[in-house]
Protein backbone atom coordinates (compact mmCIF):
# COMPACT_ATOMS: atom_id res chain seq x y z
CA UNK A 1 0.00 0.00 0.00
CA UNK A 2 1.32 3.41 -0.93
CA UNK A 3 1.39 6.23 1.55
CA UNK A 4 0.34 9.75 0.74
CA UNK A 5 3.30 12.05 0.30
CA UNK A 6 3.35 14.63 3.04
CA UNK A 7 3.97 18.26 2.19
CA UNK A 8 7.65 18.25 1.26
CA UNK A 9 10.24 19.88 3.38
CA UNK A 10 12.82 21.84 1.45
CA UNK A 11 16.37 21.67 2.71
CA UNK A 12 18.99 24.00 1.27
CA UNK A 13 22.64 23.95 2.24
CA UNK A 14 25.44 26.04 0.79
CA UNK A 15 28.80 24.50 1.63
CA UNK A 16 32.14 25.60 0.17
CA UNK A 17 30.42 27.33 -2.73
CA UNK A 18 28.23 24.33 -3.60
CA UNK A 19 24.45 24.48 -3.23
CA UNK A 20 22.64 21.33 -2.11
CA UNK A 21 18.84 21.35 -2.27
CA UNK A 22 16.56 18.48 -1.27
CA UNK A 23 12.78 18.26 -1.36
CA UNK A 24 10.32 15.42 -0.83
CA UNK A 25 11.57 11.87 -0.48
CA UNK A 26 14.86 10.24 -1.35
CA UNK A 27 14.59 6.83 -3.00
CA UNK A 28 15.45 5.09 0.27
CA UNK A 29 12.86 7.12 2.21
CA UNK A 30 10.21 6.46 -0.46
CA UNK A 31 10.57 2.72 0.18
CA UNK A 32 10.37 3.34 3.93
CA UNK A 33 7.16 5.37 3.40
CA UNK A 34 5.51 2.38 1.71
CA UNK A 35 6.10 3.08 -1.97
CA UNK A 36 6.97 -0.42 -3.15
CA UNK A 37 7.62 0.37 -6.81
CA UNK A 38 9.48 3.66 -6.92
CA UNK A 39 12.47 4.56 -9.00
CA UNK A 40 14.90 7.40 -9.58
CA UNK A 41 16.85 8.91 -12.43
CA UNK A 42 19.98 11.05 -12.24
CA UNK A 43 20.46 13.79 -14.82
CA UNK A 44 23.80 15.54 -15.25
CA UNK A 45 24.39 18.64 -17.31
CA UNK A 46 24.84 22.38 -17.00
CA UNK A 47 22.36 24.97 -15.84
CA UNK A 48 22.83 27.13 -18.91
CA UNK A 49 24.25 26.72 -22.42
CA UNK A 50 27.83 25.54 -22.69
CA UNK A 51 28.77 28.45 -24.96
CA UNK A 52 28.18 30.89 -22.09
CA UNK A 53 31.35 31.90 -20.23
CA UNK A 54 30.06 31.12 -16.74
CA UNK A 55 27.97 27.99 -16.66
CA UNK A 56 28.22 25.34 -13.93
CA UNK A 57 27.67 21.61 -13.71
CA UNK A 58 24.38 20.45 -12.20
CA UNK A 59 23.19 17.06 -10.97
CA UNK A 60 19.54 16.22 -10.29
CA UNK A 61 18.22 12.98 -8.87
CA UNK A 62 14.47 12.77 -9.45
CA UNK A 63 12.49 10.20 -7.43
CA UNK A 64 9.10 9.01 -8.67
CA UNK A 65 6.48 6.32 -8.14
CA UNK A 66 6.43 3.97 -11.13
CA UNK A 67 2.74 2.93 -11.28
CA UNK A 68 1.38 6.47 -10.88
CA UNK A 69 4.46 8.27 -12.29
CA UNK A 70 4.02 10.82 -9.46
CA UNK A 71 7.05 12.82 -8.45
CA UNK A 72 8.09 11.98 -4.89
CA UNK A 73 11.26 13.98 -4.42
CA UNK A 74 14.43 15.44 -5.83
CA UNK A 75 17.98 16.17 -4.82
CA UNK A 76 19.97 18.88 -6.64
CA UNK A 77 23.63 19.86 -6.41
CA UNK A 78 25.55 22.60 -8.20
CA UNK A 79 27.76 25.59 -7.64
CA UNK A 80 24.82 27.46 -9.19
CA UNK A 81 21.92 28.38 -6.88
CA UNK A 82 19.39 25.52 -7.31
CA UNK A 83 17.03 26.13 -4.39
CA UNK A 84 14.39 27.76 -6.59
CA UNK A 85 14.36 24.66 -8.77
CA UNK A 86 13.78 22.58 -5.65
CA UNK A 87 10.83 24.88 -4.88
CA UNK A 88 9.38 24.02 -8.30
CA UNK A 89 9.73 20.29 -7.55
CA UNK A 90 8.17 20.83 -4.12
CA UNK A 91 5.10 22.38 -5.71
CA UNK A 92 4.93 19.51 -8.22
CA UNK A 93 4.94 17.02 -5.34
CA UNK A 94 2.18 18.88 -3.50
CA UNK A 95 0.04 18.97 -6.66
CA UNK A 96 0.52 15.24 -7.39
CA UNK A 97 2.26 16.07 -10.67
CA UNK A 98 3.88 13.32 -12.69
CA UNK A 99 7.14 13.01 -14.56
CA UNK A 100 5.04 13.65 -17.69
CA UNK A 101 3.75 16.92 -16.23
CA UNK A 102 7.26 18.05 -15.33
CA UNK A 103 8.66 17.12 -18.74
CA UNK A 104 6.00 19.29 -20.40
CA UNK A 105 6.10 22.19 -17.92
CA UNK A 106 6.50 25.47 -19.78
CA UNK A 107 9.57 27.23 -18.38
CA UNK A 108 11.08 30.61 -19.23
CA UNK A 109 13.56 30.48 -22.12
CA UNK A 110 16.14 33.03 -23.12
CA UNK A 111 19.19 31.96 -25.16
CA UNK A 112 21.60 33.83 -22.88
CA UNK A 113 20.30 32.23 -19.71
CA UNK A 114 19.25 28.66 -20.38
CA UNK A 115 18.71 25.89 -22.90
CA UNK A 116 15.42 25.61 -24.85
CA UNK A 117 14.39 22.98 -22.31
CA UNK A 118 15.03 23.66 -18.64
CA UNK A 119 17.12 21.12 -16.74
CA UNK A 120 14.03 20.10 -14.75
CA UNK A 121 12.26 19.27 -18.03
CA UNK A 122 15.31 17.29 -19.13
CA UNK A 123 15.50 15.28 -15.90
CA UNK A 124 11.82 14.35 -16.21
CA UNK A 125 12.28 13.49 -19.89
CA UNK A 126 15.11 11.16 -18.93
CA UNK A 127 12.78 9.46 -16.42
CA UNK A 128 10.15 9.00 -19.15
CA UNK A 129 12.75 7.53 -21.49
CA UNK A 130 13.97 5.21 -18.75
CA UNK A 131 10.45 3.94 -18.17
CA UNK A 132 9.89 3.39 -21.88
CA UNK A 133 13.19 1.49 -22.23
CA UNK A 134 12.23 -0.76 -19.32
CA UNK A 135 8.85 -1.53 -20.89
CA UNK A 136 6.57 0.54 -18.68
CA UNK A 137 3.60 1.95 -20.52
CA UNK A 138 2.71 5.59 -20.12
CA UNK A 139 -0.39 6.14 -18.03
CA UNK A 140 -2.85 8.96 -18.62
CA UNK A 141 -2.93 11.33 -15.68
CA UNK A 142 -4.10 14.69 -14.60
CA UNK A 143 -2.73 16.74 -11.71
CA UNK A 144 -5.13 15.00 -9.31
CA UNK A 145 -3.95 11.47 -10.11
CA UNK A 146 -4.69 8.58 -12.41
CA UNK A 147 -7.61 8.45 -14.77
CA UNK A 148 -7.14 4.69 -14.82
CA UNK A 149 -6.16 4.20 -18.45
CA UNK A 150 -2.87 3.45 -20.15
CA UNK A 151 -1.57 4.18 -23.60
Amino acid sequence: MQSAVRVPRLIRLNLFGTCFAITGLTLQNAFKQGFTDCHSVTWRGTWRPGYMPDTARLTITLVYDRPSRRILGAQLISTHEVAQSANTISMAIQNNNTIDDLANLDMLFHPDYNEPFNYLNLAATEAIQQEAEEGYRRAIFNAQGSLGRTL
Side-chain angles (χ1 to χ4, degrees):
M1 180 172 156
Q2 297 175 353
S3 304
V5 179
R6 293 185 302 166
V7 174
R9 179 177 296 170
L10 179 65
I11 299 171
R12 180 195 173 275
L13 173 67
N14 198 352
L15 186 63
F16 301 111
T18 301
C19 182
F20 301 85
I22 301 166
T23 187
L25 301 173
T26 63
L27 185 61
Q28 182 180 11
N29 285 334
F31 284 118
K32 287 180 182 178
Q33 291 290 325
F35 290 92
T36 57
D37 193 9
C38 50
H39 210 266
S40 69
V41 65
T42 300
W43 179 88
R44 291 176 178 86
T46 57
W47 72 274
R48 66 192 256 179
Y51 58 80
M52 296 304 296
D54 63 342
T55 191
R57 301 289 302 160
L58 170 69
T59 301
I60 302 170
T61 299
L62 186 63
V63 180
Y64 59 94
D65 178 56
R66 274 191 147 152
S68 68
R69 297 168 75 97
R70 283 177 40 215
I71 298 168
L72 301 177
Q75 300 84 51
L76 300 93
I77 181 172
S78 180
T79 54
H80 174 66
E81 173 58 57
V82 292
Q84 289 304 316
S85 296
N87 284 338
T88 301
I89 298 291
S90 178
M91 189 166 62
I93 294 167
Q94 293 175 59
N95 289 325
N96 293 319
N97 290 126
T98 66
I99 55 177
D100 307 287
D101 295 329
L102 184 58
N104 293 308
L105 181 64
D106 189 16
M107 304 285 262
L108 174 68
F109 168 67
H110 187 283
D112 291 340
Y113 297 106
N114 54 11
E115 299 283 356
F117 293 98
N118 183 278
Y119 49 82
L120 295 177
N121 300 120
L122 296 173
T125 299
E126 191 166 315
I128 291 168
Q129 290 171 345
Q130 177 175 274
E131 292 302 295
E133 288 170 4
E134 295 183 15
Y136 284 82
R137 294 175 9 164
R138 186 173 65 86
I140 300 172
F141 292 93
N142 63 18
Q144 298 303 312
S146 173
L147 296 177
R149 300 178 301 193
T150 58
L151 294 177

